[in-house]
Amino acid sequence: MNKLRYDDIANRMPVEVCREFATFGALSDRAIMYLMNRGLVYSLQLKEELFTLGERSDRFYIVLQGKIAFYKHSEGNWAFMSDYSPGEQIGFVGMISLQPRVGWAYAESDSLVLEISCDLFHEFQMEYPEDFSVLMINLVREISRNLISVGDMLVDLTSSAPDNSNTG
């Protein structure tokens, strides 16, 4: 991963573009600029690793450009879970749950991501409390949508017609 400053990508990622991202939805321009300037921006090339199984989950990432794939590991097995596109976050659940990374994430195309560390997340809460509340709603909304998708996948994998003959 190549570390960049926001100044290096500001012409490709102006606040007007970032404002349209789901994770930044309804945040003030000042709040977005705070995160972009204080967070770390990384450039990843195709197939480059963002994080791997067992790493400490003390940060999450917002995809700015490109696509990030995530594979989950459990009991010796790997399964593709999701692609993350511009404006979506990856790694927030691990950070909040204080669990090590449960899988592997890599760039499916040349990508840019914004790293939000635990420290920056806390600083943002202190500096921009109203925007922090909006950010939390955006993050929880995305997690909720992912949970619905995972539930749908589970139904598809285990589906059988219920026996409705005994219902009133």
Side-chain angles (χ1 to χ4, degrees), residues 92-160:
F92 181 71
V93 171
M95 185 183 88
I96 292 300
S97 67
L98 302 173
Q99 298 292 314
R101 300 283 184 210
V102 297
W104 174 55
Y106 72 92
E108 285 194 311
S109 63
D110 291 348
S111 301
L112 290 174
V113 296
L114 173 66
E115 178 187 282
I116 307 292
S117 67
C118 285
D119 290 339
L120 177 57
F121 196 63
H122 176 71
E123 291 167 14
F124 185 68
Q125 178 190 16
M126 303 306 287
E127 292 291 323
Y128 294 90
E130 294 85 13
D131 285 296
F132 181 81
S133 295
V134 172
L135 177 64
M136 286 299 295
I137 290 168
N138 294 341
L139 293 167
V140 169
R141 182 178 296 124
E142 185 177 341
I143 291 165
S144 298
R145 289 176 180 151
N146 288 341
L147 283 172
I148 290 168
S149 293
V150 169
D152 290 345
M153 288 188 303
L154 182 61
V155 168
D156 290 344
L157 289 171
T158 61
S159 67
S160 61

